[in-house]
Amino acid sequence: MASTDKPQILFLCLEHRDYFDSSYSTLFNILIQVAHVQRAKTATAAISAITSTAFKAIIIADEGLTNHDPASRQVLAKVKTYIENGGLAIAGLHFPNFSGMIKFNLFFKGFGLPWKMGDWLRTTFQLNSSATLPESTELASLPRPYSMKVHHIKHARPQEKILVPVPGAMTQSNVFAPEPVDQEQAAVVGARFDLALTLGVGVQDGELFEAAANHGVIAVGGTNKPTLISWVATVVGWTLGGGHGLMTGHYSIGADNILQATTVTPTGSTLTADAFQNQDFFWPIRRSGTFGAVADLTLKAYPNPSVVLCGLDFTARNTTTKMQCGYCTIKERHDSEALAYAGSLFMHDASVENATAAMRPLRQLLGRYNGTSEAAATDGRFRFDRFANLTAMLSSYETVGTVNGITAFRLLTKQTLQDETKRGLLARTLQEVGPQTVAQTNGLPNPSISGTMTLSLQRVSNALSLRTGRT
């Protein structure tokens, strides 16, 4: 591995001891061959390093982060942010030896983990085949069953236990007689942290976006910011139905963002379903179905990105027919005098220059059809520092049956777009199911079409690929 390709690893040694290097010399000798290793012995050095370097891993090598002085608290806050953004942190080496049981337990409680310090003994351990491991972990690099003396950890959840006692494990001592080992404890545990929001069944888009923004994050929601009397479905209902929205192109559909659900079963019992428990309930919840009433959902959240907004305006000339105008620009029924489309395109965490370059092929394409339409695609003239500033501007529709708009696109297959016959069928379908020039008189609101446009050359591993194969 070339030196420029080596990952960066940081050792946090805020309570450094002189014999630390000699105690773990074998580990250091291996790491320096495959990584650039830095060490921070003071809070100032630690904050500077975490702020300026993208570390592959941060190793918490002693009890320094369990201290309650302001400097240590600042470093801990930086480490938490690093973890929330997908970073890997490992607490070990001198950490369990010098933290003490109370500080050890409180440290992990601060991360929302139930882990407690357990027994201190030697036995033989093996890899838990059902454990959740860090991404890109090579299983072949992990040790086979082997003996070690270690502080055990108790109260870890099944998927969090990485190294566990072998079946029938006994204590190993030169002084005391062998005794059975507590199989519920583990030598090494780990948890994957996802930013998340838990919401009840009555929460609507605007409330979700506002609550997320107050915590500096976003979550996938719908395309409206409804009032309390809105006819628009709640976020939970929208999500359970699949859920296409403004953020789908970047973070997938709503159903793919479900981390956990509380469900009331037909027998009246309440259970929690996620990837590790009650999976037979969790699978249909993420695939537009359920075996009970969903009481709340926990959804993935994401750091609030910036966004650059571009514009797209399209107006057909008077001599242009509906079919000539195109299948994806239908805004009125075929008896309408006007035919126009206005929309916005946006890019996450992009510069204005990148947005301008991305719009150039679209402007060139529209220019080739100026005989049948007048179209304009504007560059990224509007930039929002936070995506929440854009969601705050969403429309709020009420229950008067005059809603008439297309807020985004539905996913369309490449074959549908290229085949002339299928394009015609799509156009007629949208004319029938889309907004009507005259509102219905049966008390129902005017139909609307909402979704998002997702462009990708790669197969997407989520619920969308199950339906379309490629987005």
Side-chain angles (χ1 to χ4, degrees), residues 407-435:
T407 56
F409 292 122
R410 194 71 176 180
L411 281 173
L412 307 173
T413 65
K414 183 177 180 180
Q415 187 179 24
T416 299
L417 299 179
Q418 292 180 333
D419 185 276
E420 183 176 353
T421 301
K422 291 185 177 181
R423 287 203 304 269
L425 290 173
L426 175 62
R428 285 192 290 273
T429 299
L430 293 179
Q431 288 176 344
E432 293 298 323
V433 304

Side-chain angles (χ1 to χ4, degrees), residues 21-325:
D21 289 4
S22 58
S23 298
Y24 300 103
S25 59
T26 302
L27 173 64
F28 283 127
N29 291 336
I30 294 174
L31 285 180
I32 60 177
Q33 296 179 34
V34 297
H36 292 294
V37 178
Q38 296 186 42
R39 186 182 315 189
K41 299 181 182 179
T42 66
T44 300
I47 293 173
S48 176
I50 298 173
T51 302
S52 61
T53 306
F55 288 104
K56 180 71 172 180
I58 293 178
I59 299 177
I60 304 168
D62 58 36
E63 76 280 17
L65 288 189
T66 67
N67 297 331
H68 294 287
D69 60 280
S72 298
R73 296 292 91 187
Q74 291 178 14
V75 179
L76 179 59
K78 284 287 186 181
V79 172
K80 284 186 174 181
T81 300
Y82 165 81
I83 294 172
E84 290 170 352
N85 289 327
L88 173 63
I90 302 169
L93 308 181
H94 279 174
F95 177 83
N97 298 335
F98 293 96
S99 294
M101 181 177 293
I102 295 177
K103 285 188 174 182
F104 181 97
N105 297 345
L106 288 175
F107 178 82
F108 292 109
K109 183 178 181 181
F111 286 90
L113 295 168
W115 302 344
K116 305 287 185 182
M117 182 178 287
D119 297 332
W120 165 248
L121 55 83
R122 174 181 292 276
T123 192
T124 301
F125 298 91
Q126 66 181 9
L127 178 67
N128 174 18
S129 59
S130 62
T132 300
L133 298 172
E135 294 181 3
S136 72
T137 300
E138 297 181 7
L139 294 179
S141 66
L142 299 177
R144 299 291 182 181
Y146 73 105
S147 172
M148 66 176 173
K149 189 172 185 179
V150 66
H151 274 295
H152 288 59
I153 299 172
K154 55 186 179 181
H155 302 326
R157 289 161 286 207
Q159 73 277 8
E160 295 171 349
K161 300 175 183 179
I162 297 177
L163 284 182
V164 296
V166 297
M170 304 290 288
T171 58
Q172 300 168 358
S173 171
N174 294 326
V175 178
F176 302 103
E179 295 181 0
V181 171
D182 184 354
Q183 295 284 337
E184 295 300 314
Q185 299 188 32
V188 179
V189 296
R192 183 173 297 169
F193 285 88
D194 289 306
L195 292 173
L197 293 170
T198 299
L199 56 152
V201 293
V203 175
Q204 297 183 332
D205 287 334
E207 296 170 310
L208 170 64
F209 295 146
E210 182 178 355
N214 290 338
H215 290 84
V217 298
I218 62 169
V220 175
T223 55
N224 298 305
K225 186 181 65 176
T227 63
L228 294 178
I229 59 173
S230 171
W231 61 267
V232 179
T234 64
V235 177
V236 170
W238 174 88
T239 303
L240 294 177
H244 291 256
L246 295 175
M247 288 154 279
T248 295
H250 202 65
Y251 301 116
S252 191
I253 62 175
D256 284 334
N257 284 272
I258 299 175
L259 293 174
Q260 191 176 81
T262 301
T263 304
V264 180
T265 69
T267 62
S269 61
T270 301
L271 58 82
T272 300
D274 55 32
F276 307 104
Q277 55 186 328
N278 298 309
Q279 294 94 329
D280 52 340
F281 278 80
F282 189 57
W283 189 90
I285 286 172
R286 298 187 74 219
R287 292 298 178 262
S288 301
T290 179
F291 296 143
V294 174
D296 63 50
L297 288 180
T298 298
L299 304 177
K300 293 180 183 178
Y302 304 91
N304 214 326
S306 64
V307 60
V308 176
L309 199 64
C310 305
L312 177 63
D313 296 285
F314 182 100
T315 303
R317 298 187 186 278
N318 292 336
T319 58
T320 305
T321 68
K322 294 287 177 170
M323 294 304 173
Q324 286 176 322
C325 178

Side-chain angles (χ1 to χ4, degrees), residues 426-450:
L426 175 62
R428 285 192 290 273
T429 299
L430 293 179
Q431 288 176 344
E432 293 298 323
V433 304
Q436 311 296 306
T437 303
V438 179
Q440 300 183 64
T441 58
N442 58 4
L444 296 176
N446 205 0
S448 67
I449 299 175
S450 64

